[in-house]
Amino acid sequence: MKKNIFFAVMIFIIIFLFVELSLNLAQIRPSNASYGWNNAHNTYNKYINKIEVNEYGNRDLPKAKRFKNKSNIILLGDSQIELSQKSQNMPARILEKKLKGNFNVYSIGSWGWGNDQQLLFLKNNINEIKPKYVILFFTSNDLENNLNHIGFKGEKPTYKINNNFEIQEPKFLYFKSILNNFWTYRSLYRLNLLREKKNYKNYLEDESFFKRDNCKNKNTIDNKQLLNHYSNYDYLRKKHIQIYNKRGEKIVNENDFKKNLQKNLILRNRYKPEDDRLYYFRETQSLEDKKQIFLTNYLINKMQDIVVDNNAKFILLNVVNENNLFKDDKVYNVCINHKLLRYSNQFFYALFRKVFNGIENIVTYTIHEGTEEYDLIDGHLNFEINEKIFATIANKIEKFEKNK
């Protein structure tokens, strides 16, 4: 009897491992086995054949190529610092050049990284690097990345926040990194997130929505008309055509492009139902929005605390791209399900004042409307814009150095 059970267990294990190996080799989705990835080179290897990485696995200079006997700077970010452009176009290299080779700049981050991964990196490695400055290249989608358990390249370590705004740090990081090698775990984890969708309330189901005034006798527009005032459609269409032409990819026809544009403004994450991506501009935030704001503020303030405790200066870089704002600063009254909602650039700036509350050194760089700021291959900020941005950062650092 015992022998039969033993053989049955062995056969099950062999079949399980065979299926696991087959599904992984066949790259059946979900195929991303990394937990908190360090670079996203396989996303852009058709444009950049080979990359160099630092000792932490991020796209960067290897240790052997760093300046000798120079102070260090850590540049934290996401795809805006990794890029799929030439190495010399990377913000870290631009900043090193602007600082005349007086500092080594570590490029720490990857596509889809949130402030959670950036904070964990600092906790684990700041003592080893001993930076004089830490710069966070903040992007607005950090708010969503901080709350989502699945990121650009798979599962990631995420700080959890409940409806009472209590925050729990990531646990069992090493164990989860092992589990992510198994297709079965990756699938079950995602299925569980889909199951939890029903517990999520979008802004139309949130308590705050039902407390709104009724639209009756108000001069309002609907949410489709609102999109006509958001951003610059001609600019977005031109950007799409130029980038896809350069890549040699098929240009999406105008009707489908408009549909995709609208879809991108209501879908935050595939593991959550449709919501309002224009929440940045909405006067009243839902509970989900408030949790993102609170958590993001918590994470970046924790970064600042760690940096200060290690006798370094923390600088938050905030790039405001007017191409992604409303065309003007007026308040738009929008009627949705007979309720009045108000949207404006004014509320966008107010939201990020909450996000950045408590941060001492903020450098804001504004890209003015109509500026063609994008690279024609990866769509991120191009070399010319990054040169201007990091000249501003270099000036800030040089002022700190003079005032010591």
Side-chain angles (χ1 to χ4, degrees):
M1 181 68 175
K2 288 183 179 178
K3 192 176 284 187
N4 289 340
I5 293 172
F6 174 77
F7 279 120
V9 170
M10 290 301 296
I11 289 169
F12 172 79
I13 291 173
I14 290 168
I15 292 172
F16 174 77
L17 292 175
F18 174 77
V19 172
E20 276 288 334
L21 186 62
S22 300
L23 291 169
N24 276 317
L25 288 174
Q27 293 284 292
I28 303 297
R29 294 182 65 181
S31 58
N32 288 322
S34 60
Y35 178 67
W37 59 99
N38 292 317
N39 69 73
H41 182 225
N42 63 352
T43 303
Y44 56 86
N45 55 14
K46 65 186 287 189
Y47 308 116
I48 305 291
N49 189 36
K50 188 178 179 182
I51 63 167
E52 294 181 308
V53 296
N54 60 28
E55 55 267 46
Y56 306 104
N58 305 111
R59 187 185 180 197
D60 194 13
L61 289 179
K63 194 172 184 178
K65 289 190 176 181
R66 298 204 178 277
F67 300 123
K68 306 297 182 187
N69 303 315
K70 298 292 182 182
S71 297
N72 295 327
I73 292 173
I74 295 176
L75 174 60
L76 297 166
D78 54 15
S79 54
Q80 292 288 8
I81 67 165
E82 180 175 356
L83 303 179
S84 54
Q85 301 174 31
K86 296 181 292 186
S87 177
Q88 58 265 39
N89 284 19
M90 291 176 65
R93 306 289 77 79
I94 294 171
L95 183 56
E96 281 178 343
K97 190 174 180 182
K98 296 292 180 187
L99 292 169
K100 303 176 178 64
N102 291 319
F103 291 87
N104 290 302
V105 181
Y106 283 76
S107 186
I108 304 296
S110 183
W111 293 43
W113 267 36
N115 304 134
D116 40 19
Q117 288 157 285
Q118 296 155 358
L119 173 58
L120 288 170
F121 178 88
L122 277 184
K123 279 186 171 184
N124 294 330
N125 301 292
I126 194 167
N127 285 332
E128 183 180 357
I129 297 176
K130 294 180 173 56
K132 203 169 184 181
Y133 299 94
V134 173
I135 302 158
L136 171 63
F137 193 151
F138 184 88
T139 55
S140 58
N141 63 7
D142 284 343
L143 275 82
E144 294 159 36
N145 290 335
N146 293 338
L147 209 59
N148 294 328
H149 304 298
I150 301 292
F152 185 76
K153 297 290 290 179
E155 188 185 352
K156 67 186 187 71
T158 306
Y159 287 71
K160 294 181 180 178
I161 179 170
N162 63 24
N163 291 347
N164 296 317
F165 298 90
E166 297 166 332
I167 295 172
Q168 183 183 83
E169 294 202 4
K171 295 180 178 178
F172 313 116
L173 303 188
Y174 179 73
F175 184 55
K176 286 192 172 186
S177 70
I178 299 297
L179 285 176
N180 265 275
N181 290 300
F182 294 95
W183 184 89
T184 306
Y185 168 80
R186 299 196 301 268
S187 299
L188 290 174
Y189 185 80
R190 286 157 176 78
L191 286 171
N192 185 55
L193 289 178
L194 291 172
R195 181 187 62 81
E196 291 178 351
K197 249 190 184 185
K198 65 179 184 295
N199 299 322
Y200 173 92
K201 289 184 178 180
N202 67 20
Y203 79 113
L204 297 176
E205 301 165 319
D206 190 77
E207 265 184 49
S208 63
F209 180 79
F210 299 103
K211 293 177 181 177
R212 306 297 299 159
D213 292 337
N214 292 326
C215 303
K216 194 176 180 181
N217 300 323
K218 305 279 187 181
N219 184 20
T220 62
I221 58 177
D222 61 32
N223 55 354
K224 287 186 179 178
Q225 291 171 312
L226 179 68
L227 291 176
N228 295 330
H229 298 279
Y230 172 70
S231 191
N232 183 328
Y233 174 79
D234 292 336
Y235 156 84
L236 295 174
R237 181 64 179 164
K238 180 181 177 182
K239 178 178 178 179
H240 171 78
I241 290 171
Q242 287 185 331
I243 290 173
Y244 276 59
N245 264 334
K246 183 71 174 178
R247 291 177 178 174
E249 297 175 7
K250 183 182 177 182
I251 295 169
V252 177
N253 68 58
E254 192 147 9
N255 284 335
D256 288 341
F257 179 77
K258 286 181 178 178
K259 287 178 185 176
N260 291 340
L261 189 60
Q262 290 178 359
K263 184 179 179 181
N264 287 336
L265 290 173
I266 60 173
L267 191 64
R268 292 196 197 184
N269 183 280
R270 75 181 67 176
Y271 299 101
K272 291 179 181 176
E274 290 183 353
D275 204 344
D276 180 14
R277 278 292 292 274
L278 291 178
Y279 73 91
Y280 300 129
F281 305 92
R282 198 172 61 232
E283 180 186 24
T284 306
Q285 280 95 38
S286 66
L287 177 61
E288 190 76 3
D289 303 331
K290 290 175 182 175
K291 283 161 65 176
Q292 290 184 163
I293 294 166
F294 187 91
L295 177 60
T296 302
N297 177 259
Y298 170 87
L299 294 172
I300 61 178
N301 272 282
K302 281 291 182 184
M303 285 189 222
Q304 179 174 255
D305 291 344
I306 290 170
V307 171
V308 171
D309 287 346
N310 282 271
N311 302 311
K313 282 202 176 293
F314 181 72
I315 301 170
L316 187 147
L317 169 61
N318 176 38
V319 176
V320 177
N321 189 344
E322 289 183 346
N323 292 306
N324 296 324
L325 303 183
F326 283 99
K327 296 173 185 175
D328 53 51
D329 290 336
K330 68 183 283 190
V331 175
Y332 294 94
N333 294 322
V334 184
C335 190
I336 301 174
N337 292 357
H338 310 295
K339 292 292 183 181
L340 178 67
L341 287 93
R342 302 169 77 220
Y343 291 81
S344 174
N345 289 339
Q346 299 172 37
F347 307 136
F348 169 90
Y349 291 114
L351 182 150
F352 283 100
R353 282 195 293 272
K354 293 178 187 175
V355 172
F356 300 149
N357 183 42
I359 302 302
E360 291 182 17
N361 299 305
I362 301 173
V363 174
T364 298
Y365 184 92
T366 301
I367 299 170
H368 296 295
E369 184 182 350
T371 304
E372 292 185 11
E373 86 296 352
Y374 48 87
D375 180 79
L376 290 177
I377 289 294
D378 71 0
H380 291 91
L381 298 179
N382 60 33
F383 176 71
E384 291 74 21
I385 292 293
N386 272 326
E387 269 216 311
K388 293 175 182 177
I389 290 171
F390 284 93
T392 306
I393 293 292
N395 288 338
K396 182 79 171 177
I397 290 171
E398 285 167 354
K399 284 180 183 175
F400 280 135
E401 290 292 294
K402 285 177 184 175
N403 294 331
K404 283 193 300 184

